Each structure stands twice: as structure tokens, then as C-alpha cells.
Amino acid sequence: MVARFEVRGDARLAAEQVLHDFAAKVRVDPDVHWHAWREPGTNRYLALGNAEGLADALAPHLAGEVAYTPYELVTSTDLARRHRRR
């Protein structure tokens, strides 16, 4: 799942703390991978992974809605190691 969202300019630090807290919460499951990126010079973000509950946690800081788009994994560097031919 990909989540795209923008936070208010005055809420950037608070929103990034929410993102750090969210990452710490999901990190306890070794099978969960979650990442968040910010577009340089903006307050626009992209989060990749299961983001259930993220919009609620970010709600006070958002400058609009969180847009979710589902994607299917095709491959990754992690998968390449597991499925490498010998």
C-alpha cells in the first residue's frame, strides 16, 4: 500500500514524530516493512507498507486527505537474495 499525504507547514516536526512513532510500533513485527519519505523542500510525504491507523495518527497535522493506492510487489532486492540461482 502506498499512502500519499501533505502536512501543514507548522506541523512538520510533529508529523515526523508521528511517523517515527508509527515506524517504531510496526518495527516489532519482523515480517513488516514500512518506510516514509518526504519530497525534498516540501511537506509532501509518501509512505510504503501497511499504514493502517496512520491517517488517524496524522489527522491533526494533515493539510488534506491521505490518498491510498494498493500495489502488488513484483520484485525487490530482498527477494533477489532469497531467490538467487546458485
Side-chain angles (χ1 to χ4, degrees):
M1 183 69 67
V2 172
R4 290 179 178 85
F5 54 93
E6 186 169 353
V7 300
R8 296 185 333 270
D10 64 326
R12 181 172 160 184
L13 292 178
E16 289 189 2
Q17 184 61 55
V18 169
L19 295 173
H20 288 293
D21 294 345
F22 189 84
K25 182 177 117 179
V26 299
R27 185 178 297 125
V28 298
D29 184 341
D31 295 326
V32 173
H33 298 278
W34 186 83
H35 309 272
W37 292 272
R38 180 176 24 89
E39 185 179 320
T42 74
N43 291 321
R44 291 188 297 264
Y45 294 80
L46 181 138
L48 176 63
N50 183 347
E52 186 176 326
L54 180 62
D56 292 337
L58 283 171
H61 313 297
L62 292 174
E65 300 287 321
V66 176
Y68 293 99
T69 306
Y71 285 86
E72 295 176 339
L73 179 64
V74 174
T75 192
S76 77
T77 54
D78 182 49
L79 290 175
R81 280 187 292 252
R82 287 190 224 158
H83 299 288
R84 186 179 301 147
R85 290 185 182 156
R86 296 183 192 266

